[in-house]
Amino acid sequence: MMKKVQLGSSDVYVHPIGLGTNAVGGHNLYPNLNEETGKELIRTAIESGIQLIDTALMYGPYRSEELIGEVVKDMGCRENVAIATKIGPKYVDQKMTMDNSPEFLRDEVDKALQRLQTDYIDLMYLHYPDEHTPKDEAVGVLKELKDAGKIRAIGVSNFSPEQLKEANKDGYVDVLQGQYNLLEREAEQIYFPYTREHNISFIPYFPLASGLLTGKYKRDDQFDDLRASMPHFQGEAFAKNLEKVEQIRQIAVAKNAEVAHIVLAWYLAQDGIDVIIPGAKRADQVKSNLQTLDVHLTPGEIQVINRLFS
Ligand code: NAP
């Protein structure tokens, strides 16, 4: 049985390994996604004890939330899962802008509830800051919705350190979701001191650097999705990253584990990270990533990985 962790100061408790679902119905991010495969991986996650399911209006758009809503309803397991989603994007004529104004947010929460076929959302994030709304005012709207029972915990994502401080003026922020992985460690300096001090759970996105940190890619691999434009996947940088990942393989082999498990276990060993949401394209990846819980890294191994990627 996995131990449970609390999201910020909220009453939401989840197992430390959640699931990222931008590849479930995220047709705008990954071409040729099969929706049945996506639904199957959600079912597998829930059956395997995963509790935190991370989605967003922007994945699809809308489709990821709809598919998760369908599966959770079919399985009749709403009380066993915590659904996290994100609002803020506004689509007009297929063009997206960010809007965190109070009227818009209130309306968007209701629409997300409908897509997810539920009457509460466990963790609601502002996906990105907008240009005009004071951050504490936007979070204040989420607090009002929390008091009304429509959401249970409040998150922000992609906020700069200054924006986070403004958003958390009244102490209402439970979770910050930001980019963090072994190749992108800036969060340790710019966010962790603040989030630790203010009891905000930091949930990293791209924990596997979109698959790069699983050790399965080779120098000649080509990508036709969002990875085609990611700096870590380009030329010399890609080659160097693959070399570092190979060194993790030595630790993995000695522990009879996979590279991804070592990487994910390393995050959970960091002070400031309680929950991770690795993404998956197939059910077997979901099952595999759960094996992270069987990996125990020694302080020496944690240091070796730290230095390798510092
Ligand atoms: P990720 O977790 O770094 O990588 C996930 C990808 O790695 C999978 O789609 C799969 O891709 C591969 N993979 C996963 N497990 C594997 C395994 N055991 N063996 C081999 N390959 C494996 O990237 P992500 O899914 O983009 O990010 C995680 C979650 O964070 C997302 O799903 C989303 O919920 C959230 N997110 C949030 C934001 C934000 O702005 N807040 C931004 C990005 C993501 P392949 O099979 O194609 O290699």
Side-chain angles (χ1 to χ4, degrees), residues 185-203:
R185 295 178 60 184
E186 201 188 13
E188 289 169 14
Q189 311 297 326
I190 66 171
Y191 293 124
F192 287 12
Y194 183 86
T195 50
R196 281 198 292 252
E197 192 188 332
H198 291 84
N199 193 24
I200 293 173
S201 300
F202 181 88
I203 300 188

Side-chain angles (χ1 to χ4, degrees), residues 179 188 206 230 288 299:
Q179 182 163 353
E188 289 169 14
F206 291 151
M230 287 180 167
S288 168

Side-chain angles (χ1 to χ4, degrees), residues 20-23 30 54-55 59 86 127-128 157-158 177 205-211 214 216-217 227 258 260 277-282 285 288-289:
T21 64
N22 63 7
Y30 297 99
D54 184 90
T55 184
Y59 309 156
K86 315 183 190 84
H127 203 153
Y128 287 86
S157 182
N158 301 301
Q177 186 175 126
Y205 70 71
F206 291 151
L208 294 170
S210 303
T214 63
K216 68 179 173 181
Y217 288 125
R227 291 176 280 206
E258 289 178 19
I277 48 163
K281 302 240 168 42
R282 300 189 314 264
Q285 294 175 339
S288 168
N289 292 339

Side-chain angles (χ1 to χ4, degrees), residues 72-293:
V72 172
K73 186 147 198 220
D74 287 352
M75 290 177 77
C77 62
R78 180 65 187 92
E79 64 286 358
N80 300 337
V81 291
I83 300 176
T85 191
K86 315 183 190 84
I87 50 174
K90 181 191 216 167
Y91 290 90
V92 179
D93 297 332
Q94 311 224 352
K95 207 175 146 265
M96 189 187 72
T97 52
M98 261 333 126
D99 189 347
N100 290 338
S101 64
E103 317 72 58
F104 185 73
L105 293 182
R106 284 189 197 103
D107 207 34
E108 286 298 296
V109 169
D110 287 338
K111 289 181 185 160
L113 289 169
Q114 278 174 20
R115 284 190 295 271
L116 287 160
Q117 304 190 52
T118 182
D119 49 13
Y120 65 93
I121 286 162
D122 300 274
L123 168 60
M124 179 55 95
Y125 291 95
L126 301 174
H127 203 153
Y128 287 86
D130 74 358
E131 272 182 47
H132 304 293
T133 316
K135 311 306 162 220
D136 53 331
E137 189 182 334
V139 165
V141 176
L142 294 189
K143 173 67 165 71
E144 174 196 304
L145 293 161
K146 186 176 174 183
D147 292 341
K150 290 188 180 182
I151 68 176
R152 294 177 63 207
I154 295 174
V156 296
S157 182
N158 301 301
F159 277 43
S160 70
E162 293 67 37
Q163 290 167 333
L164 171 65
K165 280 179 198 153
E166 187 187 337
N168 195 40
K169 236 184 230 170
D170 301 305
Y172 297 149
V173 176
D174 296 304
V175 179
L176 169 68
Q177 186 175 126
Q179 182 163 353
Y180 177 68
N181 58 47
L182 280 168
L183 303 173
E184 292 273 347
R185 295 178 60 184
E186 201 188 13
E188 289 169 14
Q189 311 297 326
I190 66 171
Y191 293 124
F192 287 12
Y194 183 86
T195 50
R196 281 198 292 252
E197 192 188 332
H198 291 84
N199 193 24
I200 293 173
S201 300
F202 181 88
I203 300 188
Y205 70 71
F206 291 151
L208 294 170
S210 303
L212 208 166
L213 291 170
T214 63
K216 68 179 173 181
Y217 288 125
K218 303 275 171 298
R219 230 196 134 138
D220 301 332
D221 285 332
Q222 305 278 333
F223 301 90
D224 65 352
D225 49 35
L226 76 170
R227 291 176 280 206
S229 59
M230 287 180 167
H232 297 311
F233 285 83
Q234 310 302 320
E236 271 311 298
F238 185 48
K240 282 214 173 81
N241 291 334
L242 292 179
E243 275 169 29
K244 288 186 194 169
V245 173
E246 276 318 299
Q247 297 194 50
I248 296 188
R249 196 181 305 280
Q250 295 171 16
I251 299 175
V253 169
K255 288 187 178 296
N256 207 8
E258 289 178 19
V259 173
H261 309 154
I262 303 295
V263 170
L264 296 175
W266 189 86
Y267 300 133
L268 289 177
Q270 302 310 303
D271 180 16
I273 299 188
D274 303 320
V275 186
I276 51 176
I277 48 163
K281 302 240 168 42
R282 300 189 314 264
D284 61 291
Q285 294 175 339
V286 176
K287 284 204 151 166
S288 168
N289 292 339
L290 274 171
Q291 291 172 34
T292 299
L293 292 170

